[in-house]
Amino acid sequence: MDEDDVDVTFLMFDIQRNILLDQLPDGETVLCFQFPDLDQFGTWWLVCTEDDVDLCHQDPGKDVNAYITCRSRHMMEIWMGDLPLAAALKTGTIKLLGEIAVCKRFSKWFPLSQAAVVPRPTVTERG
């Protein structure tokens, strides 16, 4: 994947559509995704309730329950299943900061993209 292939807006809309709300605490949960490598659109908020997820690229003015910080390229690789989430968490490639109830269940409410299960060609197969 080239740097030009990373579209953080598309990524965040895809994450919004796939968050598993039943794996978050009851009530409202605010998640802040931070991409320190981006000058524009480097911070996004997901305001989650039991039946809805609102995606914001401007601060909604709500208390944040968890911050998820990762370079945009790495987040795309995690989302697509190319970089194992457990390894990214262990090495600090992705960092979580916030309420234990939200951070501890990250892998439960943050499923991988539906495309993550699609096999990708190896370097040899791509030619």
Side-chain angles (χ1 to χ4, degrees):
M1 178 172 34
D2 296 326
E3 292 297 327
D4 294 338
D5 293 333
V6 178
D7 182 344
V8 76
T9 301
F10 176 80
L11 171 65
M12 290 308 301
F13 275 105
D14 204 27
I15 291 171
Q16 174 196 20
R17 284 190 301 272
N18 289 285
I19 290 286
L20 297 176
L21 296 173
D22 63 342
Q23 297 298 319
L24 289 169
D26 291 338
E28 184 176 82
T29 302
V30 179
L31 308 167
C32 181
F33 285 76
Q34 301 173 317
F35 303 101
D37 59 307
L38 300 180
D39 293 328
Q40 291 185 321
F41 298 105
T43 305
W44 295 80
W45 292 262
L46 292 173
V47 181
C48 306
T49 60
E50 290 84 16
D51 57 359
D52 190 40
V53 180
D54 187 22
L55 177 63
C56 309
H57 70 275
Q58 294 181 342
D59 189 342
K62 297 177 176 275
D63 290 337
V64 174
N65 300 92
Y67 293 89
I68 300 93
T69 305
C70 188
R71 294 182 57 81
S72 58
R73 178 188 177 106
H74 292 147
M75 182 63 80
M76 181 67 79
E77 291 171 342
I78 293 166
W79 184 247
M80 295 302 297
D82 296 329
L83 176 59
L85 178 58
L89 287 166
K90 185 176 182 178
T91 62
T93 299
I94 187 169
K95 296 177 184 166
L96 307 176
L97 177 66
E99 295 177 8
I100 292 172
V102 178
C103 294
K104 188 175 181 179
R105 296 190 56 79
F106 180 67
S107 64
K108 301 289 186 195
W109 58 259
F110 184 82
L112 299 182
S113 166
Q114 293 174 358
V117 296
V118 176
R120 285 186 256 319
T122 63
V123 174
T124 306
E125 293 170 334
R126 284 183 267 182

